[in-house]
Amino acid sequence: MSLLSRLRKHEAVRAVDLALADTLQRLRPETDEHVLAAAVLASLAVAHGHAAFDPEHPQLLLGEASGDWPEPATWRDALRASAWVSQPTAERIADPAKPLVLEHGLLYLRRYREYERRLAARLLRLAAAPLTAFNREAIAPLFAALFPDASEQDDQARAALQALLRPLLLITGGPGTGKTATIARLLLLLLAQARADERDGLRIALAAPTGRAAERMAESLRQISAGLRELSGVDSALCDALPKQAHTLHRLLGTIPDSPRFRHGPDLPLPFDVVVVDEASMVDLPLMCKLVEAVRDGARLILLGDRDQLPSVEAGDVLAAIVDAAVDAAGIEPRGQRGDVVDALLHANGHDERVLSATTAGLHGSRVHLRRSYRQSRTLELAPLADAVRQGDADTAWQLLQSGTLSGVHFEPGLLDPLHGATRERLLAPWRALQTCADPATALRLAGQQRLLTVLREGPQGAVALNARIEEALAGSHRAPYFHGRLLLIAENSTRHGLFNGDIGVCLRDGEGDALAWFADGAGGVRHFHPSTLPAHGGAFAMTVHKAQGSEFDTVWLLLPRRDVRPLSRELLYTALTRARDAVHVCAGEPVLRAALGRRAQRISGLSARL
């Protein structure tokens, strides 16, 4: 059987992938079969989250048991000789008449190669942009108030100083390491600098990939700001100038109905001096490219994220690529005048800190990694298990789960159905409380108490089936579609409603018995819609781990499937576990857990090399 015929019969290959090959063959019947097969796999690669197809690793797309493959050299020779494949130099635009691009041994669909090229070029340009030296006299007293115990090990203080020095900054760290607290402090420093320069305010935008992540970011910033204004030496007017709400990236960029384009871009940049993006690991390659190109020259871009979490659902692993290119600035000697300014600033606080100057080539030194955990729950001792999962240490993870020594970590070994038996009422109890709640704001807070997370969307252990069973358990088999206390998950973006994929709402009956769906408004308040007017949505008692990314819950129940499935990975487990604030229940068998920890969420991309 020919290679292309084999791909036609493979269950993982989609009609749209084959349509590309069929079009190329129809237009040029002489096209080499290796080129046609590679085109199919380049299309399929994007659907699997890769930016390109690597002829060295076709099994990443179709599995280890997918048969024999051509030698990579054979594939590449055919691609180099094809009229359908362009081979531009790194900085050149690919030929728009050719749908495929071969670069550094990877085969791209042209559009995704261009996203990668444009993103890398713009990031490097942002990083290299000169900034006005800051006013030491204006900043030093505020810095001392915000970081009274700063030392060489204080990553938060180092990140704040890097934000003054650099137009592009990446702040990484696990949950509870203080990323939002760092942002609040560095924004106060930037506001103080703008005041010292007699600039008319500082225009700041906060954004995140999902509505829930944006809401959580804004809520955290408001809480932190309230505490900072109580500090001696912090002007409350600066706290008043901090942004009060955050936007989804789609709303920030300005969605255009029925178009993949946004209102803001290179020709109409965002009107902000500082753009802060949380949960950057969730941002895919096309969206990150469009975001970065929309940041105006002279503005600052600050990305926050945890590279150990799942990469974006769509193509690319952008955060990991930037992290790989942006060496942590810790312990690098200062150079030039900027380093002297930073040293003097810290001397004014009685400390000595070494910071890389903004003159370094590329992204080196543009990252600060936060290590210290500031959010150690009194009831949840998650760090040892999360570290073992992050490192893929299955023996340690299994031992920790079985030992029962970690407070707040509950292991349900081999449990395949938490809605059956002794765990049923424990699982349902927090959601039953919603059925007696009448206040929308209170109900939305209760909605964040607990979630059942699963790997799959479909099947008996998938989110769809689990939601149906939970809803029946709560409201009966003859329940109203929008019963009182039902949780809703928005599944598509709707600019008309101001609702976006991942937003969580709760259904409540009003005094006349009519159902209304309530959602947070992004500014600390609530708003409602009639359920019939909502964009596509489903239940939200159970969610896939991917959908839960960017959210946090007091209690997480993690249900792993009975058999190993391809979506399982150590990044998925780490992401699921770190959604919990106070308690986590792990329902898993040993073989499946070990299989997950032995697999990485690998993505094919050339972005890191470009940077």
Side-chain angles (χ1 to χ4, degrees):
M1 185 184 297
S2 71
L3 177 59
L4 192 58
S5 297
R6 208 169 85 220
L7 290 176
R8 290 186 188 281
K9 292 181 177 298
H10 201 291
E11 61 181 9
V13 177
R14 307 167 303 161
V16 68
D17 306 322
L18 295 168
L20 174 60
D22 291 341
T23 300
L24 300 184
Q25 189 174 40
R26 185 178 68 254
L27 295 174
R28 289 182 180 270
E30 73 279 9
T31 301
D32 190 312
E33 185 188 42
H34 290 90
V35 175
L36 298 175
V40 170
L41 295 174
S43 175
L44 182 63
V46 171
H48 282 225
H50 304 287
F53 164 58
D54 185 356
E56 297 272 0
H57 301 290
Q59 68 277 6
L60 285 178
L61 300 177
L62 299 179
E64 298 290 344
S66 51
D68 296 329
W69 295 99
E71 289 294 323
T74 302
W75 235 329
R76 289 180 180 130
D77 288 344
L79 292 168
R80 290 189 186 100
S82 175
W84 294 121
V85 181
S86 64
Q87 301 176 69
T89 56
E91 68 280 359
R92 296 293 297 273
I93 299 174
D95 186 344
K98 298 181 178 182
L100 302 172
V101 181
L102 183 65
E103 190 173 10
H104 301 302
L106 302 179
L107 183 69
Y108 294 83
L109 298 182
R110 181 186 180 276
R111 182 158 55 109
Y112 284 85
R113 186 268 180 179
E114 288 304 301
Y115 283 139
E116 220 178 65
R117 180 191 64 80
R118 287 159 45 195
L119 174 57
R122 183 58 180 159
L123 284 171
L124 291 170
R125 181 175 171 181
L126 280 174
L131 288 178
T132 305
F134 59 80
N135 186 316
R136 189 186 70 183
E137 289 73 19
I139 297 300
L142 179 59
F143 179 86
L146 295 172
F147 300 101
D149 301 316
S151 68
E152 291 192 6
Q153 286 73 45
D154 192 332
D155 297 323
Q156 289 195 354
R158 186 156 47 87
L161 286 173
Q162 289 290 347
L164 292 169
L165 290 170
R166 296 181 174 280
L168 175 65
L169 180 62
L170 181 65
I171 301 177
T172 60
T177 50
K179 295 188 288 292
T180 309
T182 303
I183 285 297
R185 288 167 168 79
L186 70 82
L187 289 179
L188 288 179
L189 291 169
L190 292 173
L191 285 164
Q193 175 62 49
R195 176 192 286 179
D197 292 343
E198 298 183 348
R199 281 183 280 156
D200 185 20
L202 191 71
R203 297 166 297 178
I204 302 169
L206 305 179
T210 67
R212 179 59 191 134
E215 178 189 338
R216 186 162 61 88
M217 182 188 193
E219 181 182 352
S220 296
L221 196 65
R222 288 193 295 266
Q223 292 174 351
I224 293 165
S225 173
L228 291 177
R229 67 174 63 244
E230 302 300 323
L231 294 178
S232 175
V234 175
D235 187 344
S236 61
L238 294 177
C239 295
D240 292 338
L242 288 172
K244 303 298 187 295
Q245 62 186 87
H247 305 282
T248 64
L249 288 173
H250 286 82
R251 177 182 283 182
L252 177 73
L253 293 172
T255 303
I256 300 174
D258 302 318
S259 171
R261 299 180 180 274
F262 292 103
R263 191 162 64 89
H264 290 288
D267 297 329
L268 183 64
L270 291 165
F272 298 105
D273 304 303
V274 183
V275 177
V276 182
V277 179
D278 198 8
E279 298 289 352
S281 64
M282 299 173 63
V283 185
D284 60 51
L285 175 61
L287 184 56
M288 186 66 85
C289 176
K290 293 169 186 178
L291 165 69
V292 172
E293 287 186 328
V295 176
R296 67 173 183 81
D297 290 338
R300 285 176 167 87
L301 175 63
I302 302 172
L303 302 176
L304 312 178
D306 182 353
R307 74 157 296 166
D308 295 311
Q309 287 190 29
L310 280 167
S312 61
V313 176
E314 306 299 332
D317 193 357
V318 177
L319 179 68
I322 301 175
V323 167
D324 290 343
V327 174
D328 195 327
I332 302 178
E333 292 289 351
R335 286 183 282 187
Q337 183 181 2
R338 287 183 184 271
D340 296 338
V341 171
V342 173
D343 288 345
L345 171 60
L346 283 167
H347 275 306
N349 194 35
H351 301 283
D352 182 20
E353 175 76 19
R354 299 178 298 173
V355 183
L356 182 66
S357 82
T359 59
T360 304
L363 304 187
H364 281 222
S366 295
R367 172 196 175 206
V368 176
H369 184 64
L370 307 181
R371 298 167 178 84
R372 177 183 169 190
S373 178
Y374 293 86
R375 198 188 67 205
Q376 181 64 56
S377 169
R378 294 180 180 178
T379 60
L380 179 60
E381 189 183 0
L382 186 61
L385 178 60
D387 287 343
V389 168
R390 182 172 51 82
Q391 295 164 15
D393 186 346
D395 290 338
T396 299
W398 183 253
Q399 180 183 1
L400 287 169
L401 285 170
Q402 283 194 309
S403 69
T405 57
L406 300 179
S407 61
V409 177
H410 308 281
F411 187 36
E412 317 285 351
L415 180 64
L416 301 175
D417 185 2
L419 281 165
H420 179 74
T423 57
R424 176 182 172 89
E425 285 308 312
R426 280 195 285 149
L427 178 65
L428 295 175
W431 296 323
R432 292 198 190 281
L434 280 168
Q435 297 182 286
T436 60
C437 183
D439 177 60
T442 302
L444 285 170
R445 283 196 297 272
L446 290 173
Q449 283 190 329
Q450 178 178 275
R451 206 67 86 239
L452 173 58
L453 301 186
T454 182
V455 177
L456 306 170
R457 184 177 184 276
E458 305 294 341
Q461 292 180 296
V464 173
L466 289 168
N467 267 310
R469 292 181 60 204
I470 292 168
E471 291 176 4
E472 181 175 352
L474 293 173
S477 56
H478 301 293
R479 62 193 177 277
Y482 298 98
F483 62 86
H484 191 95
R486 186 190 179 197
L487 296 184
L488 299 178
L489 174 67
I490 298 299
E492 67 179 12
N493 296 329
S494 173
T495 53
R496 180 168 66 91
H497 296 82
L499 294 173
F500 297 89
N501 188 1
D503 285 357
I504 299 290
V506 61
C507 294
L508 299 178
R509 297 275 174 178
D510 63 16
E512 299 178 357
D514 296 324
L516 295 174
W518 292 86
F519 293 83
D521 66 2
V526 295
R527 58 203 171 120
H528 67 268
F529 303 89
H530 191 279
S532 64
T533 68
L534 292 174
H537 58 277
F541 296 102
M543 298 169 63
T544 63
V545 177
H546 271 101
K547 283 290 188 182
Q549 199 169 355
S551 298
E552 288 181 341
F553 312 101
D554 294 342
T555 300
V556 164
W557 288 71
L558 172 60
L559 176 63
L560 298 191
R562 63 183 69 229
R563 288 184 295 274
D564 183 25
V565 292
R566 291 195 62 181
L568 275 171
S569 66
R570 68 181 68 168
E571 289 84 359
L572 184 141
L573 296 189
Y574 175 84
T575 301
L577 293 172
T578 55
R579 298 310 90 207
R581 284 187 287 252
D582 298 322
V584 61
H585 297 257
V586 180
C587 309
E590 183 176 4
V592 170
L593 184 71
R594 287 186 177 276
L597 293 179
R599 183 183 295 125
R600 302 219 56 163
Q602 186 176 356
R603 294 285 176 89
I604 301 299
S605 166
L607 181 59
S608 182
R610 294 180 194 277
L611 292 171

